[in-house]
Each structure stands twice: as structure tokens, then as C-alpha cells.
Amino acid sequence: METPEPSPGPEQTISPQRCRGHYTNKSNIKVKYTKVYGDEDDAYKNDSVPRGLFFMCNFSVFKDNKYSKRLGSEQDYENMMSLFQQMGYGDRGHKKKYCHTGYITKKHFMERLQAFSCDQKHKMLCSCVIILMSHGSGPKTFVTSDNQEVDLMEVYSIFDNINCQHLKGKPKIFILQFCRTVSQSVARPLENQVVVDEDRLRKVVREEVYKILSSQNPQPLNLQGPTDVQAFEELTRKSSLASLSSAIEATGAVAAERSEHFHVSQQVEFSDYQSDTRNLPQMPQEGVQRYSDMYSIFSTSPGELSHRDKRKGSLLIQAICHVFAENAYHDEIDTLVRKVSTYMTKTLQKDDPVTVPRQTCERTNNGLDKLFFFNPHEMPTCRHVTI
């Protein structure tokens, strides 16, 4: 049963002392709240109670000390826990299920993240937040406590419109705290890398198309004259591995109609759009976007370091906690992140220009096509809500 939404009132501050039955606030964060924004504001609906669930993993220690212990990250963990619970995210028992800190293996992380994406409560809630904090090993990769790499596409794919129907059309906010440089300790030696040149790729595609067409015809393929051979070469040249399946389907249909010989010179239609990739991802049904309603906040720009104070925590998390607590009640997410960036560069770094490193946060929007307001909501006495 959902708790009814309180009527809009003047700006108020949520007192963390009222949350003792739900979570012991170890920070000084106090979230403000006011009216609820929604359809009439050209914004996403975000008025469920709770607003949504949130998932958080803080990888703070690492196997064999291959990576340094992330001192100060526990402060980040506590601050983000306090912030989002005060803003109305999470429910009974979610901390134990979906919030983890310390030593976390890739297997455990992926299992918990998958369980979070499949939680039936998402059906009745309006949004979700995913917070990941670790050492980075590349622009979009980070490491788990057992020194395994995780590519962000592994994370995003769990929440796409194929694999996560419960959150289709709902905002999914990712907060990503890690360096985005290439780690020398995990970089692969050049001799271990597999390089496939374009000529070799075309040859492989040609052979695969030929095999499949041959298997669909009782008679061997007979490429009659230079015209047919040239057409076949053009067909395989245009067919990258990504478009191989559509090429096979198109040419296979023609082959099935012929009982004796296959003439490549017959008309074979290709889509006007081709994929710039050599992979063959699972495709959504026609007319459905694979990735949508996603918004990512990175702690730094590609190729740059992300910095963390041993006592206060990381620059991004400090800025998010301050700006969101002060402004999430009336600002949509793009405005909030601009203020986060400004707070990092003009407040945290300006106050201590000698010891505070320079860093610029980055945001990416993957189909978040309307305004998104967190609409902070104070859970009455933070009592548990049964959904």
C-alpha cells in the first residue's frame, strides 16, 4: 500500500533525526523539498512512494593490493546513502540487498545488479538510481575487488529495453565515480591483442556467405561470368559482420527460389542504414529503442583522473551531496549537474587551489527526452512502506 503524497507546501528541510527507524544518518546532509513536478511540467512522472529503488556498490579494497585501498570512499558511501534515502529512494531491506561496500567480486556484483534490475517493485515505482564507485581502468571500464574489469556496456545492457521491461520508459540515473585513464597494470600487451585487417574481414564474410548459400541450394553455386562474380564481391564487401545476418537473409531468400543455379546478379535489397560495428548484438523488436531514458554522471572526463580526499571523500560525491540536497526540490537533472560542475570548479577547488586537484565531471544523455526531477519526498517518520 502506498503512502499518499503530501500536498505541496513551502520549502522545507528534512530532518535526518526523523529517520532513525530507517537509517542512522552519519552525515550533515539535509534535503529540501517542495512541489512535485510531473506531466504538466513536460517532465517524467516521479511521484511514487518511494520514488524508486537505488543500487550502490563501493569497491574499496582489492585482491593482493593490486590497487590501492580507496580511503575516503566509505564517507562517500555513507553520504550517498543518507542523500538518497532522504530524497525518498529505497525501501525496507534494500540496503542489505542492493547497497554494498568493501570487498566485492565481479560475480557477486553482477548477480546483485541483475537481481536489482529484475525486482518486481520497479513495476510500481517511477525511477531508479545506480551508483558505482571504484578504480577505473579506461574511459568506460572499472575494476571489481577481485581485479576483474567491468565494461559499462555490461551494466547498461542489464537495464536496456530488452532485458529490463520493468523500467522501460522510466528514468535510470547512473552515478559513476572512477578514474577514466587506461591503467598500465591492466593494459593488455600489444602482442596479446588480436588485430583483424579489413581485407581479412572481407574474406571471412565472403566465405561465410558462400557456405550458407551453398547449404541452402541442392546444386553448387554457379557464378556465371564476371558480372555475377563482381556482384558477389560487391555483396560481401558491403556486408560487415554486423550486417551479415541481414545479408544472409536477403540472399538466402533469393537462393531458396532457385532450384538449379543462383544468380547473384538478381536484385538484392539492403537496408539504407548499416551498422558501424563487427558485433552482432541482440536487436529489440521493430520500433523499440534498445537504450532510452538513461542519464549518466561521470566523475571526470575521458582520459582524466578522479580525485578523492581521505577524510571528506571524492570531489564528485561531495558536490552531488551538497547541490542535490540544496536544489533537487526545484531543479531538473541537467541543471543540477551543471551546478555540480560549477561547485566542483568554483567552490571545492577554489577554496583550496593548492591541494585540491582540477577535475571536470561529464554527463551523457541516452534518450532521457523529458525533464527529470527527483521530487525529494520525506517518508513520514521514514516508516517502512509495503509495496
Side-chain angles (χ1 to χ4, degrees):
M1 181 177 65
E2 296 186 357
T3 304
E5 183 70 34
S7 58
E11 175 189 326
Q12 301 180 45
T13 300
I14 297 177
S15 171
Q17 284 74 27
R18 296 189 62 187
C19 300
R20 289 173 181 163
H22 185 58
Y23 173 69
T24 302
N25 185 7
K26 298 180 181 179
S27 70
N28 295 319
I29 298 168
K30 295 182 179 180
V31 174
K32 298 176 181 177
Y33 73 97
T34 181
K35 70 164 283 188
V36 173
Y37 295 84
D39 293 335
E40 66 276 11
D41 305 292
D42 194 26
Y44 283 96
K45 175 182 171 66
N46 195 35
D47 58 1
S48 60
V49 180
R51 297 292 186 249
L53 303 180
F54 73 97
F55 178 94
M56 178 163 55
C57 261
N58 174 42
F59 304 89
S60 61
V61 293
F62 301 87
K63 183 179 180 180
D64 300 327
N65 295 318
K66 183 175 181 178
Y67 299 91
S68 61
K69 183 176 181 180
R70 299 182 59 251
L71 300 176
S73 65
E74 293 295 335
Q75 186 63 49
D76 288 339
Y77 179 83
E78 295 294 340
N79 286 343
M80 293 298 270
M81 182 76 71
S82 175
L83 174 70
F84 280 99
Q85 288 196 327
Q86 289 187 59
M87 294 216 307
Y89 282 79
D91 71 332
R92 180 196 294 267
H94 99 280
K95 179 182 178 183
K96 183 177 180 180
K97 291 172 62 179
Y98 301 136
C99 295
H100 309 274
T101 184
Y103 188 92
I104 310 162
T105 65
K106 181 175 181 177
K107 180 177 184 294
H108 181 67
F109 164 68
M110 297 303 290
E111 288 175 350
R112 290 291 84 208
L113 191 65
Q114 188 71 52
F116 175 79
S117 72
C118 296
D119 197 310
Q120 295 293 314
K121 297 186 182 75
H122 288 307
K123 290 182 178 180
M124 293 164 282
L125 303 179
C126 291
S127 60
C128 76
V129 177
I130 298 96
I131 306 162
L132 305 176
M133 301 181 285
S134 184
H135 283 301
S137 57
K140 290 191 176 182
T141 56
F142 60 93
V143 293
T144 55
S145 294
D146 53 345
N147 303 327
Q148 299 296 307
E149 285 190 2
V150 178
D151 191 295
L152 278 181
M153 290 310 300
E154 296 179 66
V155 175
Y156 291 148
S157 64
I158 291 175
F159 295 92
D160 67 23
N161 292 326
I162 297 175
N163 298 311
C164 190
Q165 293 289 321
H166 298 339
L167 287 167
K168 184 177 178 181
K170 299 178 181 181
K172 296 164 279 286
I173 311 302
F174 298 84
I175 298 174
L176 306 163
Q177 167 61 43
F178 52 80
C179 293
R180 302 182 71 188
T181 55
V182 177
S183 172
Q184 294 300 317
S185 60
V186 298
R188 299 173 184 170
L190 184 60
E191 60 268 19
N192 291 338
Q193 292 183 345
V194 178
V195 179
V196 181
D197 61 46
E198 201 65 31
D199 290 337
R200 174 61 181 162
L201 179 66
R202 289 173 185 167
K203 182 179 179 182
V204 171
V205 173
R206 185 183 190 281
E207 290 173 352
E208 291 303 312
V209 172
Y210 192 92
K211 286 178 184 177
I212 292 173
L213 294 179
S214 297
S215 68
Q216 294 177 347
N217 283 272
Q219 300 293 330
L221 291 181
N222 182 16
L223 302 179
Q224 299 178 353
T227 303
D228 282 358
V229 173
Q230 183 179 1
F232 187 82
E233 292 291 345
E234 179 67 12
L235 168 65
T236 56
R237 185 186 68 79
K238 289 182 177 180
S239 301
S240 67
L241 286 181
S243 58
L244 178 57
S245 60
S246 60
I248 291 170
E249 182 181 353
T251 54
V254 176
E257 293 177 359
R258 305 187 60 86
S259 59
E260 295 182 358
H261 303 292
F262 171 66
H263 293 272
V264 183
S265 55
Q266 285 192 323
Q267 196 64 258
V268 178
E269 295 184 1
F270 285 89
S271 169
D272 292 336
Y273 294 90
Q274 295 182 340
S275 302
D276 294 322
T277 179
R278 299 177 179 180
N279 298 319
L280 292 170
Q282 181 185 2
M283 298 303 294
Q285 65 186 47
E286 186 176 355
V288 176
Q289 291 175 284
R290 183 184 181 92
Y291 298 100
S292 67
D293 313 292
M294 293 180 174
Y295 193 97
S296 300
I297 306 170
F298 291 90
S299 58
T300 191
S301 302
E304 298 297 322
L305 297 173
S306 183
H307 301 281
R308 171 178 22 85
D309 184 89
K310 294 180 181 179
R311 294 177 296 104
K312 300 177 184 177
S314 64
L315 292 179
L316 175 72
I317 304 304
Q318 289 182 61
I320 282 178
C321 289
H322 174 82
V323 171
F324 282 25
E326 288 291 317
N327 301 285
Y329 74 95
H330 63 71
D331 285 341
E332 49 81 34
I333 194 166
D334 257 335
T335 302
L336 286 174
V337 178
R338 283 196 295 271
K339 290 183 177 180
V340 165
S341 181
T342 300
Y343 187 80
M344 289 173 66
T345 57
K346 294 187 177 180
T347 302
L348 293 177
Q349 296 170 356
K350 184 178 180 180
D351 288 349
D352 194 355
V354 177
T355 61
V356 176
R358 296 294 181 264
Q359 111 184 29
T360 303
C361 69
E362 180 185 52
R363 57 191 178 273
T364 61
N365 184 329
N366 297 98
L368 194 79
D369 295 334
K370 295 192 288 185
L371 300 177
F372 173 70
F373 294 85
F374 283 103
N375 290 332
H377 168 72
E378 181 182 20
M379 305 285 277
T381 66
C382 287
R383 61 192 176 93
H384 298 309
V385 177
T386 301
I387 299 178

